[in-house]
Amino acid sequence: RQPEGSFLLHLINGSGCFDKSYFKPIKIERLHICLRLEQEPLRVTDLCAQQSYPFHWENEKLFLDLQNLEAFCCFKIEFHEKE
């Protein structure tokens, strides 16, 4: 959790690592992520692309769908301020 209350979600494709060598990772396609959260997100930002990312919220769960994951990506999950 970040000081201002947001979360960072890092996704790393480790398929290119082998001992002390590194090869181009195998692309992972159609990745579905579900996170249980206490609070509904205000927005999700793809930090690598520097743009908002679509998400779905249902039953205290955040759903993200990625078309593909090459080496890595990082999402910032921000929340409404608690009153």
Side-chain angles (χ1 to χ4, degrees):
R1 191 169 199 107
Q2 298 293 300
E4 82 284 357
S6 66
F7 281 97
L8 294 179
L9 172 64
H10 297 266
L11 301 175
I12 300 170
N13 181 348
S15 66
C17 296
F18 181 73
D19 195 24
K20 294 181 181 178
S21 301
Y22 181 78
F23 301 95
K24 184 175 179 179
I26 299 167
K27 184 167 49 173
I28 298 172
E29 297 180 333
R30 295 184 302 273
L31 187 60
H32 306 284
I33 299 166
C34 174
L35 295 173
R36 180 181 280 294
L37 299 171
E38 295 177 4
Q39 188 178 358
E40 181 176 2
L42 171 64
R43 84 179 123 258
V44 175
T45 304
D46 178 341
L47 295 180
C48 294
Q50 297 183 345
Q51 63 186 19
S52 291
Y53 199 85
F55 67 92
H56 177 72
W57 173 258
E58 184 178 330
N59 298 326
E60 297 182 346
K61 293 178 186 167
L62 170 70
F63 296 91
L64 297 170
D65 293 320
L66 281 76
Q67 292 302 313
N68 63 65
L69 174 64
E70 295 195 23
F72 63 90
C73 68
C74 182
F75 294 99
K76 183 176 185 178
I77 304 168
E78 298 173 85
F79 300 93
H80 297 276
E81 290 192 31
K82 291 185 178 181
E83 297 177 8

